[in-house]
Amino acid sequence: MSEEIGTVDRAEHDNRLHEITTGEWAGWSTWKNDAFEQRAGPFYERTEADGTRVSAFRAGAEHMNGGGAMHGGLLMTFADSALFTIAQPALDGSFGVTMNLAGDFLDAAFVGEMMEARGEITRAGGKTIYVRGIVTADERPVLSFTGIIRKIRRR
């Protein structure tokens, strides 16, 4: 799936987020210890110069359905992951769970395309964060999504 790459621990409060130091994803970070996201993607994230949070991955053959287009379940898995990247400032170091995730499929994505998710926090207060976003394939919109995250305590 992905090449073995060097990583550097980036977040003191959570040693699972690792910055990529080599290859196509140098300058991005990934949740190396999240086995599901690593198998599904792997997915990467970073903060742009303007503060925008973005998630990304490169579409591979393993992400396609029998018809040759990206599997809808994979797009929703990516959107679910992106919720937390987008909501990171409002999470404020907390963990969270997805309470709701809804998506509208807009177009197909194909092998080799750069998949990106961007969005915004539409409301945050207390333990609930509302997010909306868009997933693109080579800058072409393929999925719009909304989601609600509930902050939780670590056990």
Side-chain angles (χ1 to χ4, degrees), residues 74-95:
L74 187 277
L75 278 170
M76 291 299 287
T77 297
F78 180 53
D80 188 38
S81 175
L83 278 179
F84 290 85
T85 299
I86 295 163
Q88 187 271 333
L91 280 165
D92 213 15
S94 298
F95 286 88

Side-chain angles (χ1 to χ4, degrees), residues 51-103:
T52 302
R53 306 272 305 152
V54 59
S55 296
F57 74 101
R58 176 79 58 194
E62 67 275 17
H63 302 128
M64 301 301 125
N65 63 24
M70 184 168 291
H71 195 285
L74 187 277
L75 278 170
M76 291 299 287
T77 297
F78 180 53
D80 188 38
S81 175
L83 278 179
F84 290 85
T85 299
I86 295 163
Q88 187 271 333
L91 280 165
D92 213 15
S94 298
F95 286 88
V97 294
T98 305
M99 290 176 54
N100 180 276
L101 178 63

Side-chain angles (χ1 to χ4, degrees), residues 16 80 84 87 91 93-99 127 129 148-154:
R16 296 177 302 157
D80 188 38
F84 290 85
L91 280 165
S94 298
F95 286 88
V97 294
T98 305
M99 290 176 54
K127 295 182 178 182
I129 305 166
I148 304 170
I149 295 171
R150 178 76 170 182
K151 291 183 188 180
I152 61 169
R153 291 184 207 185
R154 218 186 244 194

Side-chain angles (χ1 to χ4, degrees), residues 108-123:
F110 302 97
V111 170
E113 293 184 311
M114 174 62 77
M115 307 300 298
E116 292 187 343
R118 299 169 187 272
E120 65 180 340
I121 299 166
T122 57
R123 184 174 180 195

